[in-house]
């Protein structure tokens, strides 16, 4: 058993598992199988929801960080973009010009930086 974590499956074991004290063997309580299946589906749904919510929160945080980085150190972000373009095979001078062009529009710069972060 894992302490401090309950994915719903351990709870089912505790609720339905046990020993028949009179006979000294494992006991199965009637109807538990149906409840366990419903419980598992409910847990799966909650886990899926929490995973999606967590992923969205991470994505939102990443966008906020990129936005702040563009605001406080645009030169560094421009250089990063130029390097990304160079890794894609674009000549250094052209990559710097492309990065400078992108950085003139803050929304476009943010979109490019987020796209760059996603491709890491």
């Amino acid at each position: 058993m894992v302490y401090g974590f309950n994915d719903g499956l351990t709870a089912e074991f505790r609720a339905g598992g046990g020993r028949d004290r009179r006979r000294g063997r494992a006991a199965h309580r009637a109807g538990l199988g149906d409840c366990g299946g419903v419980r598992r589906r409910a847990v799966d749904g909650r886990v899926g929801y929490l995973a999606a919510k967590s992923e969205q929160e991470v994505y939102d945080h990443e966008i906020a960080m990129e936005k702040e980085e563009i605001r406080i150190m645009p030169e560094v972000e421009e250089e990063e973009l130029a390097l990304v373009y160079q890794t894609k095979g674009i000549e250094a001078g052209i990559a710097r010009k492309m990065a400078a062009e992108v950085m003139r529009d803050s929304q476009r710069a943010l979109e490019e930086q987020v796209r760059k972060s996603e491709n890491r």
Side-chain angles (χ1 to χ4, degrees), residues 22-99:
R22 292 174 293 168
R23 296 189 183 109
R25 61 183 174 165
H28 175 73
R29 296 187 182 145
L32 180 65
D34 292 340
C35 293
V38 170
R39 183 180 300 130
R40 268 192 300 279
R41 284 190 293 282
V43 167
D44 288 348
R46 282 188 304 214
V47 168
Y49 169 77
L50 292 173
K53 184 173 174 63
S54 177
E55 185 176 332
Q56 184 62 46
E57 288 173 353
V58 168
Y59 182 74
D60 292 344
H61 178 71
E62 186 174 317
I63 289 174
M65 285 182 50
E66 288 292 348
K67 193 173 194 176
E68 184 66 9
E69 288 173 1
I70 290 169
R71 187 184 71 76
I72 63 175
M73 48 187 179
E75 304 83 18
V76 172
E77 295 298 304
E78 185 175 319
E79 182 60 30
E80 278 184 20
L81 262 181
L83 291 172
V84 168
Y85 295 150
Q86 288 176 47
T87 62
K88 293 181 179 184
I90 299 171
E91 187 268 318
I94 295 172
R96 283 192 295 275
K97 288 179 185 176
M98 288 173 63

